[in-house]
Structure formats: C-alpha cells, structure tokens
Amino acid sequence: DAGITQSPRHKVTETGTPVTLRCHQTENHRYMYWYRQDPGHGLRLIHYSYGVKDTDKGEVSDGYSVSRSKTEDFLLTLESATSSQTSVYFCAISGGRGETQYFGPGTRLLVL
Amino acid sequence: KQEVTQIPAALSVPEGENLVLNCSFTDSAIYNLQWFRQDPGKGLTSLLLIQSSQREQTSGRLNASLDKSSGRSTLYIAASQPGDSATYLCAVVDSNYQLIWGAGTKLIIKP
C-alpha cells in the first residue's frame, strides 16, 4: 500500500470554526489531491497540487483553501466550516498527471 | 461536460458466479479509464488502469475492457468470492487530466 496517512481520522466541529486536515505521504509523489465523498454525488475534487507551493482548484473549491510547503504534506483548510461541509474527505497522490491515484484512509468530518 | 454512469447501483450474486460491472461515459476524448474498489469505511484501492489506446487489462480474476467509440467499459470478475464484496468505482481521466467519477456499483457476494 502507498504510504499515505490522513489526520485526524474523525473530527466534530461547530459551524464557523476553522478546520485543517492533513495529508502526509512517504512516496515522494509529485501530485496530491483532496476529494470529498458524499452520498448521491460520488467523489468530487476540491483542490490539487502539482508541486511544492503549486496548487489549483477543483470542481468544488469554494470555502476551502490548501497549502503545500513540503513535498510530503498537503493541508486542506475549511476557513469557516458550514454544515454543508460535513463529508468524508480523501487525500490521494499520483506520480504524474492522469496516472493511477493512491488514496488515504479518509477523514470523517461532522460540522454541527 | 464528461459524465460517468455506473449501472446497476447495486448487485447481489451467489459466490462462484462470474459477473460484469458496467461503466459508461459521454465524451470519448479520455486519457485513460480506471477502476477502483472501496470497502466500507475505507479509502479507495486502485484495481486496473486502461490507457485510451488499449482495449483491455487483466489482473488476476479481474479483466477490464474499454470501448472508447461507444463510451463503455466493463469490469469482469471471475469466480466471485465473498471477499469481492465492496463498492466498485469507475473513473475516466479527461483531457485536463482530471478524474471524473461514477457513483459506483455496490457488489454483494453471498456465501
């Protein structure tokens, strides 16, 4: 299995608070991705990174920001959490564009 | 806009049967197509990747085919086992190198 960890694995927070999720990889892959998975919507891309300090928006980026200061870490921040951001968040990595993506175990976030 | 559809949404078969999962996409301009499985409460595991120039890929009891012109892919599972129970997701990589996902087929293999 690709070395990808996510932290925290579960989080409960209140509306309006900032939340940061962390993805850490040990594979030295260039590309990193954040997805959310919701019933009825499948997986949707939030943001992705193609290198240190290089990031771009995905399909559902509003209300989210990302940062990548090191190859191995990709942070997802919910600037002011809303109930609509209750979801399961997955991090993924790949060696190149369009290549196989390897997924982390996910973070379950509940916004009350 | 590329759309990916997986039918059926759920499938239940007895152990030992061969089965086929279907994936269709609306735009044939794809870079590749990927199949994943997801176990309950877990992340996704890559199963097979078919390049746009390929017709099929095989891994063990799994065989995936690709027909770009008709916008279809199938995942064939031979001699199904209870451990194959999971949700199977299909995704196409579009011309912008983004994965566009289907909603998945939930497969239950009955012992």
Side-chain angles (χ1 to χ4, degrees):
Chain A
D1 288 346
I4 311 169
T5 57
Q6 293 185 232
S7 59
R9 295 292 314 280
H10 302 270
K11 185 167 182 68
V12 180
T13 191
E14 293 188 349
T15 297
T17 60
V19 175
T20 296
L21 309 182
R22 180 182 183 237
C23 177
H24 179 78
Q25 61 147 327
T26 58
E27 306 297 318
N28 200 35
H29 279 358
R30 179 181 175 191
Y31 287 81
M32 299 186 76
Y33 311 82
W34 277 107
Y35 292 93
R36 60 178 289 174
Q37 186 176 38
D38 305 286
H41 287 281
L43 277 148
R44 292 180 290 176
L45 181 66
I46 304 171
H47 282 280
Y48 70 99
S49 169
Y50 48 95
V52 174
K53 293 187 167 56
D54 293 323
T55 65
D56 205 350
K57 296 179 180 180
E59 178 188 358
V60 290
S61 58
D62 287 348
Y64 301 94
S65 62
V66 291
S67 65
R68 191 169 179 200
S69 58
K70 297 185 290 185
T71 298
E72 57 266 35
D73 289 326
F74 193 32
L75 303 181
L76 176 70
T77 298
L78 288 64
E79 293 139 11
S80 177
T82 67
S83 58
S84 64
Q85 294 176 312
T86 291
S87 187
V88 180
Y89 291 85
F90 287 102
C91 173
I93 65 174
S94 70
R97 298 180 77 183
E99 294 184 10
T100 298
Q101 292 190 13
Y102 301 95
F103 282 76
T107 294
R108 289 187 176 273
L109 176 67
L110 175 60
V111 183
L112 300 175
Chain B
K1 180 184 175 185
Q2 178 75 269
E3 293 182 0
V4 179
T5 304
Q6 292 185 250
I7 295 173
L11 181 64
S12 180
V13 300
E15 179 179 4
E17 282 200 3
N18 303 325
L19 58 99
V20 173
L21 306 180
N22 297 297
C23 173
S24 61
F25 47 95
T26 55
D27 187 346
S28 63
I30 63 170
Y31 184 69
N32 63 49
L33 184 144
Q34 302 183 27
W35 283 94
F36 294 81
R37 71 173 276 169
Q38 184 175 26
D39 294 284
K42 301 285 182 64
L44 283 73
T45 300
S46 176
L47 297 174
L48 289 163
L49 182 153
I50 311 177
Q51 299 292 353
S52 63
S53 59
Q54 295 177 316
R55 297 285 294 186
E56 65 178 286
Q57 278 285 355
T58 298
S59 176
R61 293 183 295 109
L62 305 180
N63 177 277
S65 69
L66 174 63
D67 184 343
K68 263 196 347 175
S69 60
S70 67
R72 292 179 182 229
S73 175
T74 61
L75 179 66
Y76 175 84
I77 303 177
S80 58
Q81 303 169 358
D84 294 330
S85 298
T87 296
Y88 289 80
L89 295 124
C90 163
V92 299
V93 176
D94 68 11
S95 54
N96 294 317
Y97 300 99
Q98 302 296 335
L99 260 71
I100 310 300
W101 295 85
T105 295
K106 184 175 182 179
L107 177 64
I108 297 173
I109 306 298
K110 297 175 289 186

